[in-house]
Amino acid sequence: MTNRIIKFRAWLEKSKQMVEVSDIHFDTGLAGAKAPEGTELHLVDKLGYISFPFGERANSLTQFTGLTDKNGVEIYEGDVVEEKPTLKRWYVDFYSYGFCKRDIIGGDAGNIKNLSNYDVLEVIGNIYQDSHLLEKK
C-alpha cells in the first residue's frame, strides 16, 4: 500500500494567482505560501512567504487528489479535466465520499461520477483561472 501525498494549493482572488500552500493553520484560519511574483513587498516576510485567510472563494484551498492525468499532471480539486477520446469535460470536486468528477452542463454540476479512469483524463485548466471551460460546448 502506498501513502497518498497530502498537499494543497490556493487561488488568491485579489492577485489572480494560484499558489502552492506551504502551511495551514486551522486555529487561526490562515495559510501560507511562497510569495508569488509581483506581491507587494510589505506583505512578504523575511523568508519570502505570505500569509492569507482561507475558507472563502477569495482564497480557496484545493487539495491534491493523489492522482495524475494521462500526461502525468497532478489532479487537484477544482481542476477541469477532459476525457479522451470523447472530449467530455468534468470538474473535480470533493463530495461526501471523496473526490469525484462532476459533469459540466451549462456551468452547473450535473452527474457525479467516481474519479476513475483518470488515465484517459487530461487537466485542461481549473474553475478559478479558466471559468470559460465550464460553459457547455
Side-chain angles (χ1 to χ4, degrees):
M1 175 151 100
T2 59
N3 293 325
R4 183 169 78 83
I5 297 170
I6 307 293
K7 58 184 177 177
F8 293 83
R9 65 183 186 189
W11 171 247
L12 304 179
E13 181 65 32
K14 186 175 180 181
S15 63
K16 303 282 190 233
Q17 292 179 300
M18 190 70 75
V19 295
E20 288 187 34
V21 173
S22 59
D23 54 284
I24 301 172
H25 302 277
F26 292 102
D27 57 336
T28 62
L30 294 174
K34 188 86 171 137
E37 197 67 35
T39 303
E40 296 174 35
L41 290 179
H42 70 277
L43 300 174
V44 181
D45 71 12
K46 293 177 187 175
L47 299 175
Y49 285 82
I50 59 169
S51 292
F52 52 90
F54 65 88
E56 60 220 39
R57 180 164 166 82
N59 294 318
S60 297
L61 294 181
T62 64
Q63 187 175 177
F64 175 48
T65 63
L67 305 173
T68 56
D69 74 358
K70 68 184 204 106
N71 299 316
V73 175
E74 294 177 340
I75 302 173
Y76 279 81
E77 181 181 8
D79 280 346
V80 176
V81 294
E82 192 168 70
E83 193 170 320
K84 306 295 182 181
T86 65
L87 303 182
K88 184 168 183 62
R89 288 184 183 163
W90 306 83
Y91 77 89
V92 178
D93 198 8
F94 189 85
Y95 197 61
S96 61
Y97 58 85
F99 291 105
C100 63
K101 57 186 183 183
R102 290 184 182 253
D103 192 3
I104 296 170
I105 301 174
D108 292 326
N111 296 325
I112 299 173
K113 304 279 185 188
N114 286 333
L115 191 57
S116 59
N117 297 337
Y118 50 89
D119 55 332
V120 298
L121 297 177
E122 181 176 17
V123 175
I124 59 171
N126 64 64
I127 63 173
Y128 304 100
Q129 295 169 294
D130 308 293
S131 59
H132 65 281
L133 295 174
L134 298 175
E135 298 168 6
K136 189 174 180 178
K137 292 198 273 182

